Amino acid sequence: MSRQLTRRDFAIRTAGFGLAGFNLAMGLAPPATLAEAEQASRSENSPAVADPYSLDPYSLVDPELLPVLKQFPAYDLTAEMVGKFRQMPGMPPLPAPAPQPVERRIPGPPGAPEVRLWVVDPAPLEKGKPLLLHMHGGGFMMTDPGLMPQIQGIATDCHCVVVSVDYRLAPETRYPGALEDNYAALKWVHAHAAELGVDRSRIAVGGESAGGGHAASLAIHARDRNKRDRNKEDVPICFQLLIYPQLDDRTGSSQAVPPAIGNFMWTASANRLAWSSLLGVPAGSSKVPVAAVPARVASVAGLPPAWIGVGSIDLFGEEDMEYVQRLVHAGVATELLVVPGAFHGFDRLVPDAEASKQFSASWKSALRKAFAAGKADTAEKLEVSRQAHSKEENNA
């Protein structure tokens, strides 16, 4: 029974913005900037798509996901709800023998506060381990209450160090604040790879939803910084793990949303609020800085290999598939998984569903394969270096 309650609590905290009684459960003192961001998200007309067939959105949902989904009433995310969600306590870490999260504080970007990291290491005595630099979801504005059990699970299942970044949240911190925090964390894990027992050539980035969007932005930023700062040491990324990533501010604002998608858990109105909060200007507008939005960046060439997964009726489905197409056209090795009848966050809400288990197994397998490929590349480079050194000694 306790296992069942924990799972339900997990689902409520990570996906249940619209739970009945939510408004009665928590007090509220939202920052004024949240209300301002909400106003900005409504300041431009948002296109709507007429539905000539009066489609029942529930008819498209995977039957195994439907009973739990129907327990969540429809809602529109507001600044008020964001304020309440921020006050919700997070789930505690899984007890030992699960690897325990360790808090670290590192120097932040110039002129900014320190960045808090959570480090989970499943094998502290091992050397040459892979590492996932993780960015949590939460619509750019919130943390993930289920973060601790989640990163512990990744560390255990993928046998890697997980470093999760507690980046600054919007709208109090606009773009590029969170990106700078994430880049500071990337530089830190590279600089402290020996201390962490990590192979610097096997550092991946990843996240879910907004965290996936942050991970994609970080990969682009790191690529551009590596090109620009040629006098400094590169901070390479071996892989991008993008789980239903939030990639395009125009979805639901300047670009219409088909009636079949985005009806559950994360809607067009929520997307406008989230992006407007991050950007400080209305989502979808001409004022949006191109570099702030992965889908708007001119070129995706030279980015690390990627895995992208999304549900077919997730609001992000179309933008994620378009991003995959751009990556493939640019010669970036990319795997795409589209889950029929799955809405945003389905795997977190109904983890025991067959679709959820297959989805989780797919991205974990992709991450393990990327780490294994990186290990093989490292071994090959070491062997080439050894042979070259041996040849030099023989010629001396």
Side-chain angles (χ1 to χ4, degrees), residues 15 19 61 73 81 88 98 108 124 145 154 221 253 330 349 353:
L19 285 173
V61 178
M81 294 178 73
M88 297 178 72
I154 296 173
H221 185 70
S253 52
L349 190 64

Side-chain angles (χ1 to χ4, degrees), residues 231-290:
N231 59 331
K232 297 182 179 179
E233 191 174 8
D234 286 356
V235 284
I237 294 169
C238 74
F239 188 68
Q240 303 176 78
L241 177 65
L242 309 181
I243 300 173
Y244 33 79
Q246 190 170 358
L247 299 174
D248 197 340
D249 68 293
R250 296 166 295 189
T251 298
S253 52
S254 59
Q255 293 181 357
V257 176
I261 71 170
N263 292 293
F264 307 112
M265 309 316 296
W266 193 258
T267 64
S269 63
N271 211 42
R272 292 193 299 271
L273 174 59
W275 278 109
S276 299
S277 298
L278 178 69
L279 301 170
V281 296
S285 71
S286 59
K287 300 176 183 178
V288 172
V290 171

Side-chain angles (χ1 to χ4, degrees), residues 83-96:
K84 291 178 177 179
F85 189 86
R86 285 181 174 186
Q87 297 175 30
M88 297 178 72
M91 292 188 69
L94 299 170

Side-chain angles (χ1 to χ4, degrees), residues 16-94:
F17 290 116
L19 285 173
F22 184 89
N23 290 332
L24 299 176
M26 306 294 289
L28 174 67
T33 46
L34 280 170
E36 292 166 2
E38 185 173 7
Q39 181 60 36
S41 73
R42 297 172 177 170
S43 62
E44 294 196 356
N45 292 330
S46 302
V49 177
D51 180 6
Y53 303 106
S54 299
L55 182 71
D56 174 14
Y58 285 107
S59 67
L60 302 176
V61 178
D62 181 326
E64 196 174 2
L65 305 174
L66 194 56
V68 175
L69 176 64
K70 284 195 169 182
Q71 298 178 29
F72 292 83
Y75 68 92
D76 280 321
L77 183 65
T78 64
E80 181 181 11
M81 294 178 73
V82 170
K84 291 178 177 179
F85 189 86
R86 285 181 174 186
Q87 297 175 30
M88 297 178 72
M91 292 188 69
L94 299 170

Side-chain angles (χ1 to χ4, degrees), residues 3-21:
R3 178 182 174 89
Q4 220 170 23
L5 289 171
T6 299
R7 291 196 174 192
R8 175 54 53 86
D9 186 46
F10 178 83
I12 288 171
R13 292 183 180 185
T14 54
F17 290 116
L19 285 173

Side-chain angles (χ1 to χ4, degrees), residues 130 199 201-205 237-241 304-307 335 363-378:
D199 178 352
S201 68
R202 294 197 291 157
I203 294 175
V205 299
I237 294 169
C238 74
F239 188 68
Q240 303 176 78
L241 177 65
W307 182 96
E335 180 179 354
W363 66 253
K364 289 176 183 178
S365 174
L367 184 58
R368 288 192 292 263
K369 286 179 182 178
F371 286 150
K375 186 174 184 179
D377 289 345
T378 299

